[in-house]
């Protein structure tokens, strides 16, 4: 029999949520801001933007938006931070972020999951590229669909 009240359960859940925010989400978002500022100061962001502009134009996005997708592979929180940093710098608009959000979730944190989950449950590493490729294809399809409606 569980003697905990609804309030006790809520407080325990709130503490866990606070710890996730403080220990995981905020550091990823701050790291994303710092990385974008470094890329912008060094001129690498503009260089990468020009390099990926033809590919990202298919999705109606500026070339610099590729940094959001690369970040998404490592961390969803980081990708959101990159998107926000590019938005505050005037590189992305609300429409661009609308196109990117489904892709962030579809590609989100795949590098972490490959290491943490797939290896521990015994998935053979030869399937990792296929699984990653499917995520990327899904993200690309979502951006094409979002471009039609955004």
């Amino acid at each position: 029999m569980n003697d905990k009240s609804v309030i006790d359960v809520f407080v325990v859940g709130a503490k866990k949520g606070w710890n996730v925010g403080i220990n995981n989400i905020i550091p990823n978002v701050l790291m994303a801001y710092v990385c974008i500022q470094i890329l912008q100061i060094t001129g690498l962001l503009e260089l990468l933007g020009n390099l990926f502009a033809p590919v990202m134009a298919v999705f109606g996005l500026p070339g610099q938006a590729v940094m959001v997708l690369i970040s998404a592979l490592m961390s969803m929180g980081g990708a959101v931070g990159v998107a926000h940093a590019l938005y505050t710098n005037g590189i992305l608009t609300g429409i661009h972020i609308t196109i990117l959000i489904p892709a962030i979730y579809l590609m989100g944190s795949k590098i972490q999951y490959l290491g943490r989950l797939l290896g521990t449950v015994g998935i053979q590493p030869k399937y990792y590229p296929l699984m990653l490729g499917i995520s990327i294809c899904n993200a690309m399809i979502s951006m094409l669909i979002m471009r039609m409606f955004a």
Side-chain angles (χ1 to χ4, degrees):
M1 185 91 186
N2 192 352
D3 294 332
K4 292 183 179 180
S5 69
V6 172
I7 294 172
D8 293 336
V9 173
F10 175 80
V11 170
V12 169
K15 286 179 182 175
K16 288 181 181 177
W18 175 262
N19 288 333
V20 168
I22 294 297
N23 296 319
N24 295 328
I25 296 172
I26 291 176
N28 284 329
V29 172
L30 286 176
M31 178 72 154
Y33 276 110
V34 170
C35 288
I36 287 299
Q37 291 305 319
I38 290 171
L39 289 173
Q40 196 158 23
I41 290 169
T42 60
L44 286 174
L45 186 61
E46 186 176 337
L47 181 70
L48 290 171
N50 291 335
L51 183 67
F52 287 98
V55 175
M56 298 309 286
V58 172
F59 306 108
L61 298 168
Q64 293 92 338
V66 74
M67 296 309 301
V68 176
L69 300 177
I70 292 171
S71 299
L73 285 171
M74 294 177 261
S75 163
M76 279 195 284
V80 170
V82 169
H84 190 267
L86 293 174
Y87 176 79
T88 55
N89 287 326
I91 296 170
L92 294 181
T93 65
I95 291 173
H96 295 143
I97 291 175
T98 301
I99 293 169
L100 285 166
I101 289 292
I104 290 172
Y105 289 110
L106 290 167
M107 293 173 57
S109 304
K110 290 296 186 265
I111 302 295
Q112 291 180 32
Y113 297 148
L114 289 177
R116 287 185 194 165
L117 299 176
L118 300 181
T120 58
V121 296
I123 303 291
Q124 294 181 14
K126 69 180 181 182
Y127 297 118
Y128 291 4
L130 179 61
M131 296 168 125
L132 191 58
I134 290 170
S135 293
I136 292 170
C137 286
N138 286 337
M140 291 169 63
I141 292 168
S142 75
M143 290 189 297
L144 289 173
I145 292 171
M146 289 307 294
R147 182 181 184 189
M148 288 189 289
F149 295 105

